[in-house]
Amino acid sequence: MKSVRERLAAARGGRIPRWRASVILALRMMLHDKAKFVGTTLGVVFAVVLGAQQIGVLMGLLAKNTMLVDNAGADLWIVPPNTEQAQAGQRMSTQLLDQARATPGVAVASPLVMVGTAVKQPGGGTEAITLIGFDLDTGLGGPWNVVAGDPADLRHAGALFFEDAQRDRFGGLNLGSVREVGGLQVWVAGFTWGLQPFGPAYTFGEIDLVRDLTGVASDQLSFVLVTLEPGADPAAVAAELRRRTPGAEVISQAAFHDRIVGSLLREQLGITFGTTTAFALLIGFIIVALSMFSAVIDNLREFGTLKAIGMTNLDLTRMLIVQSVAYALLGSLVGLGLVAFMADGIRSANLAVIVPAPLIVATPAVMTLLCVLASVLALRRVRKLEPGMVFR
Amino acid sequence: MTAAAERALQPAGPLAVDARGVSKVFGAGALAYQALRGVDFQVAEGELVMLVGPSGSGKTTLLSILGCVLSATDGQVSLFGEPLHGVTDGRLAELRRALIGFVFQGHNLIASASALDNVRLMFELRGVSGRRARRGAEELLERVGLADRRWHLPGELSGGQRQRVAIARALAGTPPLVLADEPTAALDAHAGHQVTQLLVELSRERGVTVVIVTHDNRIFDLADRIVRIEDGQIVPSPTLSPSPTQGHAP
């Protein structure tokens, strides 16, 4: 028979079997009460679905407002001072274009005209559009997500690319359909898909045609789009452009993207979606906290027994943390699966729920943190538990 | 005190349990309740002692102190020479894990774990891992006659079977001391005697010291020595001593 000292050494040293035993036991206890297991998991799923879906919708809405900047193909934008959105209504002199073209390091400088106007419908009435005029030779700021037609056809007189999702609103547009914009006849040369910002859908045309349709003077433009020569230092080129275009602002594509996102988040969009997401997480936190606490209360005698037979507070803490992490990972997996399913189901030209990779990685991490925090109440109860209760 | 009474109170041989002048007061002030009053209680290694007395006499309080799950208000307690006073909760848990097997009144098995896993858990807590833990658990369950029920959950076993699993769990890893609190309370007379007999047999095979708290006089014949406690004090009760032929010399 082992001596007392040998036994104590074995009990002190047997951490791996004890660790294994407590992890397995934690999962067994979690799965044993099936109603509580399902309820708690659904709580986490609910929080993940609501939170991730809200963030996905927010990302989709933000993308609607940054898509022109993201897809125009420019490295640098020359914009009117304090511009926070790439939207219609901005006017600057074409002298900026000349200055940009003459700047060392600039490969291409291309004008962009962006004007809000309307399409006259065959049956009467008008439908608003955001007309974008671009330089066909550079292609910068031209249509993308083209689902019908060839952008080269925009060289033909009166040719425009319309948004496919808006065909019915423009009176049943088809390739070759003729409509009236600004008192002039235009025809449909192609369609894009999903190019609908917060305002009216983007419609693309050759820059001079757009000037003719909207009355923008030939020495006016909305933005100058700049690409850099290979190897050029973007910061140095931007600094030189700033020096040469003192009445305008020079901003990199990434900075312009961030500025648009920042301005939208500072306004209503961020507050609305931030509040909903926070509530989703709070509700998930409460459900998990209550479920875990009630699971501990229901199994108080078992936890007391485990303490009495030699488990330490650390062992029991490990058990609850294992359960928290299991709930978080399982709930995140199911929740993200549902969000992906929903995102696919509700995807349209008007709204795309975007579930980016960082969200997929961050969701289990956030939920794990949340569930571990939610177990604190249960942990406190277990740690205070007197092992002597088993004899009462 | 008569010689028989002295014999009933004193152990022979090296001590597994040594409690001297142990007092326990619950609460404070006007609500204070003294459960134990200067108890001296010793158990020799390998001895099987039954601690008997009426409800509220302090026997479960004494068992809780010996089981390191309750601290004494006053007095000295040691198990196999290891003092219990002034040690941390972590050290007490270590002592429980290393030295003591518990058999509770209500079996207290883990409801979500099978009979085998309940016993294996105790092996693992005592540092025995993997196949050795499983083999040990299977052997013990076979020994208590539940080999064919090892995968059953406690809820799928009868009261007597559950208590037999509890005995197997208590003896997993062969702790030197088993403390049993009213192990027959929830069982009928026949099952109660069988279960206690099983506990006694297995403990004696392994040289384990056993202290059983009970007021079930149908199992008194299984004890080496019976100690009576009343009003928080050990009292001489020679009439409760088992017959010498049934006793076991440690």
Side-chain angles (χ1 to χ4, degrees), chain A residues 258-294:
Chain A
D258 292 346
R259 183 184 286 188
I260 295 168
V261 169
S263 77
L264 289 170
L265 290 180
R266 275 194 305 277
E267 291 165 14
Q268 203 174 358
L269 210 57
I271 295 165
T272 306
F273 283 89
T275 308
T276 317
T277 306
F279 267 113
L281 295 178
L282 181 67
I283 290 166
F285 176 84
I286 291 169
I287 291 174
V288 175
L290 289 180
S291 297
M292 292 198 69
F293 186 68
S294 106

Short mmCIF file of all heavy atoms in Angstrom, two decimals, chain A residues 258-294:
data_model
loop_
_atom_site.label_atom_id
_atom_site.label_comp_id
_atom_site.label_asym_id
_atom_site.label_seq_id
_atom_site.Cartn_x
_atom_site.Cartn_y
_atom_site.Cartn_z
N ASP A 258 -12.17 55.24 -46.22
CA ASP A 258 -12.30 55.33 -44.76
C ASP A 258 -13.07 56.58 -44.35
O ASP A 258 -13.83 56.55 -43.38
CB ASP A 258 -10.91 55.34 -44.10
CG ASP A 258 -10.20 54.01 -44.27
OD1 ASP A 258 -10.87 53.03 -44.63
OD2 ASP A 258 -8.97 53.95 -44.03
N ARG A 259 -12.87 57.65 -45.09
CA ARG A 259 -13.57 58.90 -44.74
C ARG A 259 -15.09 58.73 -44.94
O ARG A 259 -15.88 59.18 -44.11
CB ARG A 259 -13.06 60.05 -45.61
CG ARG A 259 -13.69 61.36 -45.26
CD ARG A 259 -13.24 62.45 -46.19
NE ARG A 259 -11.86 62.87 -45.92
CZ ARG A 259 -11.28 63.92 -46.51
NH1 ARG A 259 -11.97 64.64 -47.37
NH2 ARG A 259 -10.05 64.24 -46.24
N ILE A 260 -15.47 58.08 -46.02
CA ILE A 260 -16.90 57.84 -46.28
C ILE A 260 -17.49 56.96 -45.19
O ILE A 260 -18.54 57.28 -44.61
CB ILE A 260 -17.10 57.17 -47.67
CG1 ILE A 260 -16.66 58.13 -48.78
CG2 ILE A 260 -18.55 56.75 -47.87
CD1 ILE A 260 -16.55 57.47 -50.15
N VAL A 261 -16.79 55.88 -44.88
CA VAL A 261 -17.27 54.96 -43.83
C VAL A 261 -17.37 55.70 -42.50
O VAL A 261 -18.37 55.61 -41.78
CB VAL A 261 -16.32 53.74 -43.71
CG1 VAL A 261 -16.63 52.92 -42.45
CG2 VAL A 261 -16.41 52.87 -44.95
N GLY A 262 -16.32 56.47 -42.18
CA GLY A 262 -16.30 57.21 -40.91
C GLY A 262 -17.46 58.17 -40.80
O GLY A 262 -18.12 58.26 -39.77
N SER A 263 -17.72 58.90 -41.89
CA SER A 263 -18.80 59.90 -41.82
C SER A 263 -20.15 59.22 -41.67
O SER A 263 -21.02 59.70 -40.94
CB SER A 263 -18.77 60.80 -43.05
OG SER A 263 -19.32 60.14 -44.16
N LEU A 264 -20.34 58.05 -42.31
CA LEU A 264 -21.62 57.35 -42.19
C LEU A 264 -21.79 56.77 -40.78
O LEU A 264 -22.88 56.79 -40.21
CB LEU A 264 -21.70 56.21 -43.21
CG LEU A 264 -21.87 56.67 -44.67
CD1 LEU A 264 -21.69 55.50 -45.62
CD2 LEU A 264 -23.23 57.32 -44.87
N LEU A 265 -20.69 56.25 -40.23
CA LEU A 265 -20.78 55.66 -38.89
C LEU A 265 -21.01 56.72 -37.82
O LEU A 265 -21.69 56.47 -36.83
CB LEU A 265 -19.51 54.86 -38.57
CG LEU A 265 -19.34 53.56 -39.35
CD1 LEU A 265 -18.05 52.86 -38.94
CD2 LEU A 265 -20.51 52.62 -39.14
N ARG A 266 -20.43 57.89 -38.04
CA ARG A 266 -20.62 58.96 -37.06
C ARG A 266 -22.07 59.44 -37.06
O ARG A 266 -22.56 59.93 -36.05
CB ARG A 266 -19.70 60.14 -37.38
CG ARG A 266 -18.29 59.99 -36.82
CD ARG A 266 -17.55 61.31 -36.87
NE ARG A 266 -17.50 61.89 -38.20
CZ ARG A 266 -16.60 61.54 -39.13
NH1 ARG A 266 -15.71 60.63 -38.86
NH2 ARG A 266 -16.61 62.12 -40.32
N GLU A 267 -22.69 59.27 -38.21
CA GLU A 267 -24.08 59.73 -38.29
C GLU A 267 -25.02 58.61 -37.86
O GLU A 267 -24.65 57.70 -37.15
CB GLU A 267 -24.36 60.22 -39.71
CG GLU A 267 -23.59 61.51 -40.02
CD GLU A 267 -23.54 61.84 -41.50
OE1 GLU A 267 -24.29 61.24 -42.28
OE2 GLU A 267 -22.71 62.68 -41.87
N GLN A 268 -26.22 58.64 -38.33
CA GLN A 268 -27.29 57.76 -37.85
C GLN A 268 -26.99 56.27 -38.04
O GLN A 268 -27.33 55.45 -37.20
CB GLN A 268 -28.57 58.12 -38.60
CG GLN A 268 -29.80 57.70 -37.82
CD GLN A 268 -31.04 58.20 -38.54
OE1 GLN A 268 -30.97 58.85 -39.55
NE2 GLN A 268 -32.18 57.86 -37.98
N LEU A 269 -26.31 55.96 -39.15
CA LEU A 269 -26.09 54.56 -39.49
C LEU A 269 -25.35 53.82 -38.38
O LEU A 269 -25.75 52.73 -37.96
CB LEU A 269 -25.28 54.51 -40.79
CG LEU A 269 -25.49 53.33 -41.71
CD1 LEU A 269 -26.93 53.19 -42.11
CD2 LEU A 269 -24.60 53.48 -42.93
N GLY A 270 -24.28 54.44 -37.92
CA GLY A 270 -23.48 53.80 -36.88
C GLY A 270 -24.24 53.64 -35.59
O GLY A 270 -24.21 52.58 -34.94
N ILE A 271 -24.97 54.69 -35.22
CA ILE A 271 -25.71 54.65 -33.95
C ILE A 271 -26.80 53.59 -34.02
O ILE A 271 -26.96 52.77 -33.12
CB ILE A 271 -26.33 56.04 -33.66
CG1 ILE A 271 -25.21 57.06 -33.42
CG2 ILE A 271 -27.25 55.98 -32.44
CD1 ILE A 271 -25.65 58.50 -33.47
N THR A 272 -27.54 53.57 -35.14
CA THR A 272 -28.65 52.62 -35.27
C THR A 272 -28.15 51.19 -35.21
O THR A 272 -28.61 50.37 -34.40
CB THR A 272 -29.36 52.84 -36.62
OG1 THR A 272 -29.73 54.21 -36.69
CG2 THR A 272 -30.58 51.97 -36.76
N PHE A 273 -27.18 50.88 -36.07
CA PHE A 273 -26.71 49.50 -36.12
C PHE A 273 -25.89 49.13 -34.90
O PHE A 273 -25.95 48.01 -34.43
CB PHE A 273 -25.92 49.27 -37.42
CG PHE A 273 -26.80 49.11 -38.61
CD1 PHE A 273 -27.19 50.21 -39.34
CD2 PHE A 273 -27.27 47.87 -38.97
CE1 PHE A 273 -28.02 50.07 -40.44
CE2 PHE A 273 -28.11 47.72 -40.06
CZ PHE A 273 -28.49 48.82 -40.79
N GLY A 274 -25.15 50.10 -34.39
CA GLY A 274 -24.36 49.84 -33.18
C GLY A 274 -25.26 49.49 -32.01
O GLY A 274 -25.00 48.54 -31.25
N THR A 275 -26.37 50.21 -31.87
CA THR A 275 -27.29 49.96 -30.76
C THR A 275 -27.92 48.57 -30.90
O THR A 275 -27.98 47.81 -29.94
CB THR A 275 -28.41 51.03 -30.76
OG1 THR A 275 -27.79 52.30 -30.78
CG2 THR A 275 -29.29 50.90 -29.54
N THR A 276 -28.36 48.25 -32.11
CA THR A 276 -29.00 46.93 -32.31
C THR A 276 -28.02 45.81 -32.02
O THR A 276 -28.37 44.82 -31.37
CB THR A 276 -29.51 46.80 -33.76
OG1 THR A 276 -30.13 48.02 -34.12
CG2 THR A 276 -30.50 45.67 -33.89
N THR A 277 -26.80 45.96 -32.52
CA THR A 277 -25.79 44.92 -32.30
C THR A 277 -25.48 44.79 -30.81
O THR A 277 -25.37 43.68 -30.28
CB THR A 277 -24.50 45.25 -33.09
OG1 THR A 277 -24.85 45.46 -34.45
CG2 THR A 277 -23.49 44.13 -33.00
N ALA A 278 -25.37 45.92 -30.14
CA ALA A 278 -25.07 45.89 -28.70
C ALA A 278 -26.21 45.19 -27.95
O ALA A 278 -25.96 44.38 -27.03
CB ALA A 278 -24.89 47.31 -28.18
N PHE A 279 -27.44 45.46 -28.36
CA PHE A 279 -28.58 44.80 -27.70
C PHE A 279 -28.56 43.30 -27.95
O PHE A 279 -28.86 42.51 -27.06
CB PHE A 279 -29.90 45.40 -28.19
CG PHE A 279 -30.38 46.53 -27.31
CD1 PHE A 279 -30.42 47.82 -27.78
CD2 PHE A 279 -30.77 46.28 -25.99
CE1 PHE A 279 -30.83 48.87 -26.96
CE2 PHE A 279 -31.18 47.33 -25.17
CZ PHE A 279 -31.21 48.62 -25.65
N ALA A 280 -28.20 42.93 -29.18
CA ALA A 280 -28.12 41.49 -29.52
C ALA A 280 -27.11 40.81 -28.60
O ALA A 280 -27.38 39.74 -28.04
CB ALA A 280 -27.72 41.31 -30.97
N LEU A 281 -25.96 41.43 -28.44
CA LEU A 281 -24.92 40.84 -27.60
C LEU A 281 -25.37 40.82 -26.14
O LEU A 281 -25.12 39.86 -25.41
CB LEU A 281 -23.60 41.62 -27.76
CG LEU A 281 -22.97 41.54 -29.16
CD1 LEU A 281 -21.70 42.38 -29.22
CD2 LEU A 281 -22.63 40.09 -29.51
N LEU A 282 -26.05 41.89 -25.72
CA LEU A 282 -26.51 41.96 -24.33
C LEU A 282 -27.53 40.86 -24.06
O LEU A 282 -27.47 40.18 -23.01
CB LEU A 282 -27.14 43.34 -24.06
CG LEU A 282 -27.64 43.57 -22.65
CD1 LEU A 282 -26.47 43.61 -21.67
CD2 LEU A 282 -28.43 44.87 -22.55
N ILE A 283 -28.44 40.66 -25.01
CA ILE A 283 -29.46 39.62 -24.82
C ILE A 283 -28.79 38.25 -24.76
O ILE A 283 -29.10 37.42 -23.90
CB ILE A 283 -30.51 39.68 -25.96
CG1 ILE A 283 -31.36 40.94 -25.80
CG2 ILE A 283 -31.40 38.44 -25.96
CD1 ILE A 283 -32.20 41.30 -27.00
N GLY A 284 -27.83 38.02 -25.66
CA GLY A 284 -27.08 36.76 -25.63
C GLY A 284 -26.37 36.57 -24.31
O GLY A 284 -26.40 35.49 -23.71
N PHE A 285 -25.76 37.64 -23.83
CA PHE A 285 -25.03 37.60 -22.55
C PHE A 285 -25.99 37.21 -21.41
O PHE A 285 -25.69 36.34 -20.60
CB PHE A 285 -24.43 38.99 -22.29
CG PHE A 285 -23.74 39.13 -20.97
CD1 PHE A 285 -22.41 38.73 -20.83
CD2 PHE A 285 -24.39 39.65 -19.87
CE1 PHE A 285 -21.76 38.85 -19.62
CE2 PHE A 285 -23.76 39.78 -18.66
CZ PHE A 285 -22.44 39.38 -18.53
N ILE A 286 -27.16 37.84 -21.40
CA ILE A 286 -28.11 37.58 -20.32
C ILE A 286 -28.61 36.14 -20.38
O ILE A 286 -28.68 35.45 -19.35
CB ILE A 286 -29.29 38.59 -20.38
CG1 ILE A 286 -28.79 39.98 -20.02
CG2 ILE A 286 -30.42 38.18 -19.45
CD1 ILE A 286 -29.77 41.10 -20.29
N ILE A 287 -28.92 35.68 -21.59
CA ILE A 287 -29.43 34.30 -21.72
C ILE A 287 -28.38 33.30 -21.24
O ILE A 287 -28.67 32.39 -20.47
CB ILE A 287 -29.84 34.00 -23.19
CG1 ILE A 287 -31.08 34.82 -23.55
CG2 ILE A 287 -30.11 32.51 -23.39
CD1 ILE A 287 -31.49 34.73 -25.01
N VAL A 288 -27.15 33.49 -21.69
CA VAL A 288 -26.08 32.56 -21.30
C VAL A 288 -25.84 32.64 -19.79
O VAL A 288 -25.71 31.62 -19.10
CB VAL A 288 -24.78 32.83 -22.09
CG1 VAL A 288 -23.65 31.94 -21.60
CG2 VAL A 288 -25.01 32.59 -23.57
N ALA A 289 -25.79 33.86 -19.27
CA ALA A 289 -25.51 34.03 -17.84
C ALA A 289 -26.60 33.35 -17.00
O ALA A 289 -26.30 32.60 -16.06
CB ALA A 289 -25.44 35.52 -17.50
N LEU A 290 -27.86 33.58 -17.37
CA LEU A 290 -28.96 32.99 -16.60
C LEU A 290 -28.97 31.47 -16.74
O LEU A 290 -29.20 30.75 -15.77
CB LEU A 290 -30.30 33.57 -17.05
CG LEU A 290 -30.54 35.03 -16.64
CD1 LEU A 290 -31.89 35.50 -17.15
CD2 LEU A 290 -30.46 35.20 -15.13
N SER A 291 -28.73 30.99 -17.96
CA SER A 291 -28.75 29.54 -18.18
C SER A 291 -27.65 28.87 -17.38
O SER A 291 -27.87 27.83 -16.74
CB SER A 291 -28.55 29.22 -19.66
OG SER A 291 -29.60 29.73 -20.39
N MET A 292 -26.45 29.45 -17.42
CA MET A 292 -25.33 28.82 -16.71
C MET A 292 -25.53 28.90 -15.21
O MET A 292 -25.24 27.95 -14.48
CB MET A 292 -24.01 29.47 -17.12
CG MET A 292 -23.69 29.14 -18.56
SD MET A 292 -21.98 29.40 -18.98
CE MET A 292 -21.19 28.10 -18.07
N PHE A 293 -26.07 30.03 -14.75
CA PHE A 293 -26.30 30.15 -13.31
C PHE A 293 -27.35 29.15 -12.87
O PHE A 293 -27.20 28.46 -11.86
CB PHE A 293 -26.74 31.58 -12.98
CG PHE A 293 -26.86 31.84 -11.51
CD1 PHE A 293 -25.72 31.87 -10.71
CD2 PHE A 293 -28.09 32.03 -10.91
CE1 PHE A 293 -25.81 32.09 -9.34
CE2 PHE A 293 -28.19 32.25 -9.54
CZ PHE A 293 -27.05 32.29 -8.77
N SER A 294 -28.41 29.04 -13.66
CA SER A 294 -29.46 28.10 -13.28
C SER A 294 -28.98 26.66 -13.37
O SER A 294 -29.37 25.81 -12.57
CB SER A 294 -30.73 28.36 -14.09
OG SER A 294 -30.92 27.40 -15.05
#
